[in-house]
Amino acid sequence: MSIKSDVIYIYDGSYPGLLCCVYQAFARKEDPMLIWSFDQEQPCLYPVREIKTAPEQADRVQGGIHYKLGFAAERWVWDTWYSDLENRETAILDFLKFGFRQGPSVMGMSGHPMVAPVFAASRALRNEAHLLTGFVRFSQIGGVLVSTVQPKNFVLPFLESHFTERLPREQFIIYDQTHHCALIYAHEKSKIVDMENLELPAPTQKEQNWACLWKQFYDTVEIQQRHNPRCQMTHIPKRYWSCVQELTDKPELLTHGKLPVSVQQALKAGELRLSGENTADAPAFLTPTQASTARALPIDQPVPALSGETG
Amino acid sequence: MDVMEKLTVLADSAKYDVACTSSGVERGKPKSGLGSTSLCGICHTFAGDGRCVSLLKILLTNICYFDCKYCVNRKSNDVPRAAFTPEELADLTIQFYRRNYIEGLFLSSAVLISPDHTTQLMIRTLELLRYRYEFHGYIHAKAIPGTSPELIRQLGLLADRMSVNIELPSESSLGKLAPDKTRDSILRPMSQLAGGIAQNKQELICYRHAPKFVPAGQSTQMIIGASPENDRHILQLTEGLYKKYGLKRVFFSAYVPVVNSSLLPAINTPPPLLREHRLYQADWLLRFYRFTADELLTETQPDLNPYLDPKCGWALQHLELFPVELSTAPYETLLRIPGIGVKSAKRIVAYRRSAPLQFDVLKKIGVVMKRAQYFLLCNGRSPVGTRFHAETLVQALLDPAAFSPGIQQLSLFDDEKLTLSAARKEMAKCLSKAM
């Protein structure tokens, strides 16, 4: 491992911004101690270098990853970027520095200290995304399927490809409580938007009936003589339980509370307007007018579909 | 009877079916309708017994004219009976699927009137799902022994996976406990499916849009602990089924006593869960680790050791093959080291192509060093050296699960007031002496 340079990079918190940091680290022959985004900035004794985001530099690094290391490396870098790994920027920089020296064979060196953090982060994210493809629970509110999740990693882009393929004729919202973002899909278009809070009207009686049927089925399929809560918790860790309705015994969790007037007002018309089956209780609550695109996809590249991860 | 009651009765009757996998077929966005499938399968939740709930596992009806002794739905048993109409069941499936409760449908049935009549009802349900609702999700259908081949073929064109339950591991047990089923009536649909799947593969090579017949393959299950067969017999049968019928999975189901019968274990016998677990471990060794049934169990040792997982047990009996040099050993040999799995073996092979292996790298790659350290060399060096006793080795390999409270094998030690850890030490001594 090389000795780190006494410098801290600061960038704008975007993916192209990070690629520019990689570019500058190579251009200046530096290995920055830390890479901070603007909001992480804090007083320190090390010199701080501000890295300006320049699209042509970012493109060059992106192209380098693609042509010198291949698609799988590109995927690892994206995954790490979306993961909750602490200091993910430095982990990506270390991986790329080592990778450009080593060549494409770096992809086989998953246990190497320079590669292991990126490899582990990618695995954690893919595994969590895979688990959530099963653990998401929709409830239908006015013709729209709504769900709330609390993932550690930013998995919405990965859920997007899965659910838009699976339910192409539906309209749905998956709200990520951890990152305050929502995936909205309607009329064959999907978008990830910032959303501070999502409160919804209580589900109808009919909807609660479906939830009750499901809960009844879930309780019935257990073989009592084999009861094994430890095994259950191994497979579905407790942190997912709050969003999986059959595992929470509180029926009030099925109701999401009342829709505040401010939210109703804030969300009126827009390109992704959702329409309900029944206009009386149709949720005109979600349009991305006030919301900027959150953590936009890196350089307009499609997110690779989930494949082969068995969790 | 409303849907809620029917669901309760019919899910309760279906819960003893083991298979709930949704793997084996990949389908992306449908042209119309809804649904997709994922090659690796998706678990949607886990029941209180820790078993995965992936599919809506349900019987079309539990009204049965068979009288299998071990079965909760046999005609002589006094239980509430119910039947879904195909319309009800299709609607239920779609509504559950839209809410992402399930990955698809697992449709089984008791034998109503005749096997053919029941299968026709099942076909009607699947036709509703596939054609009216344009449902492209996963469907697992059970073939009922004694159904005519033409109906099985129709069902196979609608379902993704099919299964025929072999029920009991030998013909004599079958004759005793399931008088209405014969070995032949079970194996006939199984070989028809195997033949159909093989033929369909050929058709798909010639014509890309040929209708797909059971694209996710077939599986089966057998009951463990209701009849006297030993583990060796069961594993040999399993191996035979994989080879002869190209099955995707063979499931084992620890017998849960539901019936008082002089032919079966008493009603308060706990299900043999540890035995079932060991059989599954051995099944994995057959499918992914290139072991054969005869390597794992011999005539002199016909049962799996409850305290060791089968791979560790095999390694202890073949210490002359170890330690293995990781940087040169072929993939097949790596797979045989305790503590190294399929993924870590593949990663070792990939890693050693580009750089020399080191011990700390092995850990990051996913090797369980606690077990593996005694069996490997890395560039000529061993992580533990040569100074260790047979007893330490066995101690490291003993399966902690076999010594957790609640596993019935240990009741022996209660009288002697031995703690679990003492029992573990005792067992290590015992096994190392036998080596």
Side-chain angles (χ1 to χ4, degrees):
Chain A
M1 198 182 272
S2 59
I3 296 158
K4 297 270 180 190
S5 325
D6 288 344
V7 64
I8 290 174
Y9 281 7
I10 288 210
Y11 76 116
D12 62 357
S14 69
Y15 184 75
L18 174 65
L19 294 184
C20 292
C21 293
V22 175
Y23 182 91
Q24 291 295 338
F26 273 91
R28 294 168 189 273
K29 296 193 167 57
E30 281 176 340
D31 196 3
M33 239 355 10
L34 281 169
I35 302 178
W36 282 340
S37 64
F38 282 135
D39 51 327
Q40 284 172 305
E41 191 175 356
Q42 48 189 293
C44 71
L45 293 173
Y46 286 108
V48 169
R49 177 164 294 132
E50 193 181 310
I51 305 294
K52 291 227 166 58
T53 303
E56 65 283 358
Q57 291 176 5
D59 282 349
R60 200 168 148 193
V61 176
Q62 182 69 32
I65 301 173
H66 186 88
Y67 291 111
K68 294 203 168 146
L69 302 181
F71 179 70
E74 234 173 325
R75 210 184 85 165
W76 277 8
V77 172
W78 277 330
D79 291 351
T80 312
W81 166 252
Y82 283 129
S83 76
D84 70 335
L85 179 73
E86 212 179 334
N87 295 330
R88 57 198 158 102
E89 294 91 347
T90 19
I92 291 174
L93 178 62
D94 284 348
F95 167 67
L96 289 179
K97 281 204 148 179
F98 181 69
F100 285 137
R101 206 168 60 223
Q102 184 76 23
S105 67
V106 71
M107 299 310 292
M109 303 179 69
S110 49
H112 192 277
M114 299 297 242
V115 185
V118 173
F119 173 65
S122 166
R123 228 152 63 97
L125 176 122
R126 296 263 158 186
N127 284 347
E128 184 167 44
H130 174 78
L131 285 180
L132 279 173
T133 53
F135 298 158
V136 162
R137 291 286 173 274
F138 290 113
S139 39
Q140 181 170 329
I141 296 172
V144 180
L145 298 168
V146 188
S147 167
T148 310
V149 290
Q150 286 175 323
K152 275 186 191 165
N153 300 292
F154 188 70
V155 294
L156 285 188
F158 303 89
L159 295 182
E160 183 175 8
S161 56
H162 175 79
F163 283 107
T164 49
E165 278 194 358
R166 172 155 295 197
L167 304 167
R169 269 19 107 200
E170 302 280 351
Q171 310 179 76
F172 60 81
I173 300 161
I174 301 174
Y175 177 56
D176 180 343
Q177 278 183 330
T178 324
H179 303 90
H180 300 288
C181 287
L183 162 66
I184 303 179
Y185 176 80
H187 309 309
E188 315 237 333
K189 270 188 246 159
S190 64
K191 197 163 195 177
I192 296 173
V193 296
D194 279 336
M195 193 179 283
E196 255 328 294
N197 198 6
L198 175 69
E199 288 182 53
L200 298 167
T204 56
Q205 187 59 43
K206 210 172 151 194
E207 184 56 27
Q208 286 186 1
N209 282 348
W210 287 115
C212 286
L213 276 172
W214 168 241
K215 171 86 176 135
Q216 179 68 16
F217 173 78
Y218 173 79
D219 290 339
T220 316
V221 287
E222 181 188 348
I223 297 177
Q224 292 299 332
Q225 292 95 324
R226 304 180 58 127
H227 186 66
N228 189 350
R230 173 63 67 85
C231 180
Q232 182 189 26
M233 271 186 281
T234 313
H235 286 122
I236 174 163
K238 278 262 175 168
R239 67 190 175 89
Y240 295 111
W241 283 32
S242 62
C243 298
V244 179
Q245 65 196 38
E246 67 271 11
L247 290 164
T248 50
D249 278 328
K250 299 173 205 147
E252 66 266 24
L253 270 172
L254 296 176
T255 66
H256 299 259
K258 285 272 175 282
L259 187 67
V261 182
S262 58
V263 179
Q264 284 177 5
Q265 284 173 345
L267 306 159
K268 276 278 153 69
E271 49 171 335
L272 276 173
R273 198 169 185 290
L274 297 156
S275 57
E277 283 165 356
N278 175 358
T279 40
D281 63 352
F285 54 85
L286 277 172
T287 47
T289 43
Q290 43 108 256
S292 62
T293 310
R295 259 183 158 179
L297 295 183
I299 326 188
D300 294 331
Q301 296 279 358
V303 172
L306 282 176
S307 62
E309 290 286 327
T310 43
Chain B
M1 211 179 219
D2 67 357
V3 176
M4 179 67 108
E5 279 172 81
K6 284 185 185 177
L7 182 74
T8 315
V9 170
L10 293 169
D12 196 48
S13 303
K15 71 183 176 190
Y16 299 102
D17 256 317
V18 190
C20 200
T21 50
S22 51
S23 55
V25 59
E26 176 88 26
R27 264 199 304 268
K29 188 177 174 179
K31 279 190 189 125
S32 59
L34 80 167
S36 61
T37 57
S38 149
L39 189 64
C40 55
I42 296 173
C43 296
H44 281 246
T45 186
F46 291 86
D49 51 13
R51 300 190 309 158
C52 146
V53 181
S54 167
L55 306 171
L56 173 63
K57 186 159 45 181
I58 203 142
L59 297 188
L60 193 59
T61 172
N62 66 344
I63 306 168
C64 194
Y65 96 98
F66 279 4
D67 199 21
C68 307
K69 297 281 180 296
Y70 53 84
C71 180
V72 75
N73 300 319
R74 71 195 188 287
K75 74 175 165 200
S76 56
N77 199 16
D78 185 21
V79 288
R81 305 282 170 169
F84 269 121
T85 62
E87 287 75 17
E88 277 171 341
L89 194 52
D91 187 41
L92 189 71
T93 309
I94 293 295
Q95 292 303 339
F96 276 12
Y97 191 81
R98 285 182 64 224
R99 290 167 177 79
N100 205 37
Y101 297 161
I102 52 167
E103 187 66 14
L105 177 67
F106 180 115
L107 186 60
S108 179
S109 181
V111 188
L112 177 71
I113 304 174
S114 73
D116 278 356
H117 179 82
T118 317
T119 308
Q120 273 164 350
L121 285 177
M122 287 167 76
I123 290 173
R124 169 92 192 111
T125 314
L126 299 200
E127 277 176 349
L128 274 177
L129 276 171
R130 290 291 197 217
Y131 303 138
R132 189 194 290 173
Y133 292 98
E134 297 182 276
F135 174 70
H136 296 267
Y138 199 88
I139 294 180
H140 182 151
K142 194 126 256 182
I144 292 164
T147 313
S148 64
E150 183 39 44
L151 290 175
I152 294 219
R153 166 132 194 103
Q154 277 184 36
L155 199 60
L157 288 170
L158 293 162
D160 288 304
R161 173 168 287 186
M162 285 192 65
S163 54
V164 191
N165 282 359
I166 199 153
E167 310 291 11
L168 291 159
S170 74
E171 199 174 0
S172 61
S173 307
L174 202 64
K176 226 186 280 172
L177 297 173
D180 299 306
K181 293 179 186 166
T182 59
R183 181 170 173 270
D184 188 49
S185 74
I186 290 169
L187 291 185
R188 203 182 312 119
M190 203 181 258
S191 56
Q192 188 200 339
L193 287 175
I197 291 166
Q199 188 195 339
N200 188 236
K201 265 193 193 134
Q202 197 59 40
E203 284 167 6
L204 283 167
I205 293 170
C206 300
Y207 312 101
R208 197 155 61 91
H209 295 293
K212 292 193 175 83
F213 180 75
V214 199
Q218 64 166 328
S219 65
T220 190
Q221 73 168 42
M222 62 180 99
I223 299 165
I224 302 304
S227 51
E229 289 80 12
N230 59 28
D231 290 351
R232 182 159 180 259
H233 178 100
I234 293 170
L235 273 190
Q236 281 177 337
L237 174 67
T238 308
E239 194 178 39
L241 287 171
Y242 285 133
K243 279 194 184 147
K244 190 160 177 209
Y245 297 105
L247 293 191
K248 289 280 177 186
R249 284 293 299 273
V250 174
F251 292 97
F252 307 110
S253 128
Y255 178 66
V256 179
V258 282
V259 195
N260 245 333
S261 161
S262 59
L263 295 169
L264 287 167
I267 203 101
N268 52 3
T269 322
L273 296 179
L274 193 58
R275 184 173 176 210
E276 182 199 85
H277 177 56
R278 293 281 174 256
L279 280 170
Y280 273 124
Q281 287 179 315
D283 174 58
W284 246 256
L285 293 184
L286 295 184
R287 290 191 297 137
F288 299 116
Y289 291 79
R290 307 184 186 183
F291 276 87
T292 59
D294 289 331
E295 276 179 297
L296 293 171
L297 291 171
T298 55
E299 222 158 283
T300 46
Q301 198 211 356
D303 284 307
L304 293 164
N305 188 333
Y307 302 103
L308 291 171
D309 83 54
K311 195 175 172 189
C312 291
W314 177 86
L316 281 179
Q317 285 173 350
H318 295 84
L319 286 176
E320 74 281 0
L321 301 175
F322 297 103
V324 168
E325 171 57 58
L326 291 191
S327 37
T328 51
Y331 175 69
E332 294 76 29
T333 316
L334 292 179
L335 279 181
R336 303 215 156 197
I337 304 173
I340 294 185
V342 174
K343 281 198 174 170
S344 44
K346 280 189 181 152
R347 284 182 200 140
I348 288 173
V349 173
Y351 196 99
R352 69 187 185 188
R353 269 195 216 118
S354 5
L357 281 165
Q358 271 138 14
F359 294 130
D360 55 336
V361 167
L362 290 180
K363 213 174 221 174
K364 289 222 173 78
I365 275 178
V367 175
V368 185
M369 287 303 269
K370 184 190 162 207
R371 291 197 288 279
Q373 58 183 345
Y374 301 100
F375 298 97
L376 54 84
L377 292 176
C378 211
N379 307 314
R381 286 189 306 151
S382 157
V384 279
T386 46
R387 283 176 298 167
F388 60 87
H389 295 289
E391 212 177 306
T392 17
L393 170 63
V394 177
Q395 180 83 327
L397 297 187
L398 281 181
D399 184 358
F403 295 92
S404 57
I407 294 286
Q408 147 254 354
Q409 267 84 352
L410 276 179
S411 59
L412 188 71
F413 295 99
D414 289 350
D415 310 335
E416 299 165 29
K417 300 237 159 35
L418 276 175
T419 58
L420 290 168
S421 67
R424 204 178 151 152
K425 266 185 202 150
E426 193 71 29
M427 187 48 68
K429 230 181 224 170
C430 210
L431 284 172
S432 59
K433 265 186 200 150
M435 260 161 61

